[in-house]
Amino acid sequence: PTSKEDSTKRKSQVSSMQSSLSLPALIKCQIIIYGRGSFHQGDIIYACELLHGDDNIRNVETAWNHQLGVVVQDGYFNTCIGQIQGMGFIGASRLLGFLGLCQN
């Protein structure tokens, strides 16, 4: 856990970065499925917080309110890593906005 001072400092930094974005920015991300599941082009990427070493979502209601981006490539099985993977894009300002909401 971070101290209150560190948390305030981080929120200030995130806010500063978010306000400095003059143009919309996208971040390319690799999506990997651990365990069962699938995803398809057009699926929405949501922010959620996972417990360390656990697949349980800590706060589902909050997670579904933070849409970050979209999947642009269907999931496919990668034989090199033995998992399903694909590609998506998330908005930089949306990611920074979500990071500003994180407590720890």
Side-chain angles (χ1 to χ4, degrees):
T2 59
S3 69
K4 189 170 185 171
E5 183 180 306
D6 289 341
S7 180
T8 304
K9 183 178 176 182
R10 185 180 54 136
K11 284 182 182 182
S12 173
Q13 289 172 335
V14 167
S15 177
S16 174
M17 284 190 290
Q18 191 172 15
S19 65
S20 72
L21 288 174
S22 59
L23 296 173
L26 292 176
I27 300 170
K28 179 182 170 185
C29 59
Q30 180 181 21
I31 304 166
I32 298 176
I33 299 243
Y34 296 97
R36 294 182 180 196
S38 65
F39 53 89
H40 304 283
Q41 184 175 351
D43 287 351
I44 304 299
I45 300 171
Y46 290 96
C48 64
E49 216 175 324
L50 298 180
L51 297 173
H52 297 286
D54 196 354
D55 291 336
N56 297 320
I57 295 177
R58 185 180 298 173
N59 188 346
V60 175
E61 290 144 16
T62 301
W64 301 129
N65 292 329
H66 292 74
Q67 179 182 339
L68 295 181
V70 66
V71 174
V72 296
Q73 179 187 34
D74 284 342
Y76 65 93
F77 186 77
N78 183 329
T79 55
C80 293
I81 63 172
Q83 294 170 327
I84 297 174
Q85 72 175 31
M87 183 176 54
F89 285 96
I90 59 176
S93 65
R94 289 181 182 225
L95 177 63
L96 289 171
F98 178 72
L99 291 175
L101 295 174
C102 294
Q103 298 282 329
N104 294 325

